Amino acid sequence: MYINEFKSRQLELVAEHRIVLRKKPHLRWLFFEIINKCNLRCSHCGSSCLSDGQQLSVDDIRRTLITINDDKPMVCVTGGEPLLHPDFFGIIDQINKMGFKWGMTTNGTLIDEKKAEDLARAQIATVSVSLDGMEESHDKLRGYKGAWKLAVRGLSSLIKAGIEPQVTTVCHRGNIEDIEELYELINSMGITSWRVINVEPIGRACESDGMMLDEKQFRWLLSFIRSKRFDNTCDMEVTYGCSHYLGLENERMVRDHYFLCGAGLLTASVRSNGDICACLDIENRPELVQGNIKNDNFLDVWSNKFKEFRYDRTEYSSKCRNCTERLYCGGDSYHTWDYEKREPILCYKDIVAESYE
Ligand SMILES: C[S@@+](CC[C@H](N)C(=O)[O-])C[C@H]1O[C@@H](n2cnc3c(N)ncnc32)[C@H](O)[C@@H]1O
Ligand code: SF4
Ligand code: SF4
């Protein structure tokens, strides 16, 4: 009881911070979708990845970063599969030359020992490798037999090169049975950080029937993450991702921070065609494109646009308006907001983790 009162007070502070950010946003993470091409075709993929290979150039990166040279947000390089970019290290050189820290999300299949050493030399600060279950379920989801072995090779090569990769696992109905075995495996490999998320209703996941976890499975997943976080014998940092308000019972138990969707407040993204948007997981709707780096000054756009992300949506949603946790949640994640109905697509406030004792 006491703990929930404490959390309520903390969440009130988070809510105050959200209000401040709406007036004075603070860009902390900038995502570049450097290429939309991919070598896999995952059945859950929420990225706009196509095969036309649309890509950002070194000059696109330079032109964007020069406008925010004083603030130096963390630069996150992603795709599609970022390592397919023909001038990947040219882009990284530019980011490094301008003094920005950078990280990458990758499916890991293109990382051998040589590539891992190149990434270490290029001062990669964070790298997240996708590993979605054990071999059979991973390969099935990723649509490529052999993808799992390549991703595991990628992880081992990164560790050998002195990099500490994070594993990201998207949990869905087809791999939830693998989660405990996967934990044992990556723990034994020396992985220090594991981010476990649930499949989101975005992109191709909406076309694939029955991928989403049901309530019982989601509760189990949260209780599994909690159990590892409170287990003194577990050295690996296990965390749920940044999405969704999870209710008082789970907030701060499954990750190190309270929920605050940073889209347009702390986070911006540049798509492979140069479009400036809040978060790459948000549906690519024309009215949500804030500008384009080929024509607009990125900082001007960041400072003056993004209105959709800088007001209290909950006032306009019949679902949220009378919700008792509206202040803490703020209408949940922007990538699961219905922009036509102006309602949240998901609401997890009543999800309570099952006891795992
Ligand atoms: C879009 S991918 C791009 C980087 C790289 N190609 C990869 O697969 O890691 C970035 C991350 O988003 C995750 N992702 C894609 N679709 C998703 C969905 N529908 N729900 C949750 N995560 C998703 C991927 O599994 C991956 O961890
Ligand atoms: S999730 Fe990553 S690897 Fe899979 S299709 Fe999408 S961009 Fe490619
Ligand atoms: S009803 Fe709206 S504000 Fe309340 S918890 Fe759900 S998504 Fe959040």
Side-chain angles (χ1 to χ4, degrees):
M1 188 58 193
Y2 170 75
I3 180 96
N4 280 358
E5 278 169 26
F6 174 77
K7 288 198 220 172
S8 299
R9 281 204 295 277
Q10 297 285 304
L11 279 158
E12 280 161 22
L13 295 176
V14 173
E16 279 172 28
H17 184 47
R18 190 189 291 114
I19 292 168
V20 171
L21 283 172
R22 282 185 194 134
K23 292 197 187 106
K24 205 170 176 301
H26 175 195
L27 186 64
R28 289 182 61 193
W29 291 281
L30 177 58
F31 286 78
F32 284 112
E33 182 189 55
I34 60 171
I35 186 163
N36 68 0
K37 192 161 124 184
C38 192
N39 57 340
L40 302 181
R41 198 176 157 76
C42 307
S43 43
H44 71 307
C45 186
S47 138
S48 56
C49 69
L50 305 157
S51 50
D52 63 1
Q54 189 169 254
Q55 53 191 261
L56 296 172
S57 68
V58 173
D59 200 49
D60 291 332
I61 306 290
R62 188 196 57 77
R63 201 175 327 122
T64 307
L65 293 185
I66 207 158
T67 69
I68 45 171
N69 214 9
D70 297 336
D71 294 336
K72 298 264 190 295
M74 175 80 184
V75 173
C76 308
V77 173
T78 185
E81 175 46 43
L83 288 168
L84 284 178
H85 195 293
D87 196 12
F88 177 85
F89 284 103
I91 286 183
I92 300 307
D93 277 353
Q94 185 64 46
I95 297 170
N96 279 333
K97 235 191 287 170
M98 298 180 78
F100 288 78
K101 280 201 171 147
W102 71 281
M104 172 176 71
T105 54
T106 171
N107 62 35
T109 56
L110 303 171
I111 304 178
D112 55 13
E113 289 192 7
K114 155 106 184 34
K115 188 62 68 59
E117 282 162 17
D118 292 345
L119 290 167
R121 259 194 302 278
Q123 300 162 54
I124 191 164
T126 59
V127 54
S128 162
V129 177
S130 297
L131 199 62
D132 300 317
M134 298 303 289
E135 185 163 1
E136 197 183 332
S137 61
H138 177 93
D139 285 357
K140 191 165 174 219
L141 179 82
R142 298 248 150 201
Y144 180 75
K145 209 165 168 25
W148 187 86
K149 282 205 171 81
L150 289 170
V152 170
R153 176 192 70 167
L155 285 165
S156 307
S157 303
L158 290 165
I159 293 171
K160 196 162 171 216
I163 297 169
E164 284 192 15
Q166 178 183 64
V167 168
T168 293
T169 300
V170 174
C171 198
H172 59 99
R173 286 192 196 197
N175 69 0
I176 188 145
E177 304 288 333
D178 288 1
I179 295 301
E180 282 173 314
E181 196 181 349
L182 186 61
Y183 165 79
E184 297 298 338
L185 174 85
I186 62 175
N187 203 15
S188 71
M189 285 173 70
I191 299 295
T192 52
S193 170
W194 187 25
R195 190 170 70 109
V196 191
I197 54 183
N198 50 304
V199 70
E200 299 284 344
I202 54 175
R204 289 204 281 267
C206 302
E207 296 153 24
S208 314
D209 265 357
M211 281 195 102
M212 298 274 295
L213 298 181
D214 64 27
E215 268 198 26
K216 192 162 173 246
Q217 289 167 325
F218 189 48
R219 277 203 298 273
W220 177 85
L221 182 66
L222 294 179
S223 71
F224 172 79
I225 296 171
R226 278 170 76 144
S227 70
K228 294 304 171 200
R229 289 175 66 81
F230 288 91
D231 177 353
N232 293 335
T233 64
C234 170
D235 290 334
M236 186 162 62
E237 196 215 338
V238 183
T239 183
Y240 183 69
C242 63
S243 306
H244 308 306
Y245 173 67
L246 299 171
L248 270 188
E249 204 54 48
N250 285 298
E251 276 300 321
R252 197 59 185 80
M253 300 309 233
V254 292
R255 56 191 164 206
D256 287 344
H257 55 88
Y258 291 95
F259 172 69
L260 189 163
C261 182
L265 300 178
L266 299 161
T267 304
S269 306
V270 179
R271 290 192 192 276
S272 55
N273 64 357
D275 281 352
I276 301 167
C277 61
C279 166
L280 294 167
D281 281 347
I282 298 174
E283 196 187 336
N284 193 3
R285 301 173 71 87
E287 73 272 23
L288 297 180
V289 176
Q290 309 295 318
N292 189 294
I293 53 151
K294 319 252 183 206
N295 314 313
D296 303 309
N297 176 295
F298 176 82
L299 181 59
D300 278 353
V301 174
W302 173 254
S303 308
N304 301 312
K305 299 287 185 76
F306 287 97
K307 300 289 182 239
E308 177 66 37
F309 305 93
R310 297 177 184 168
Y311 73 96
D312 183 4
R313 290 173 286 167
T314 58
E315 270 184 38
Y316 303 89
S317 151
S318 52
K319 243 189 228 172
C320 300
R321 200 176 303 123
N322 300 316
C323 165
T324 51
E325 289 169 54
R326 164 186 168 185
L327 188 69
Y328 309 154
C329 169
D332 209 77
S333 299
Y334 276 93
H335 66 265
T336 48
W337 180 254
D338 186 325
Y339 290 87
E340 273 163 28
K341 295 189 186 137
R342 310 202 73 70
E343 298 283 5
I345 294 168
L346 296 176
C347 173
Y348 287 136
K349 86 169 163 25
D350 294 324
I351 289 280
V352 178
E354 281 169 353
S355 168
Y356 46 82
E357 286 152 334

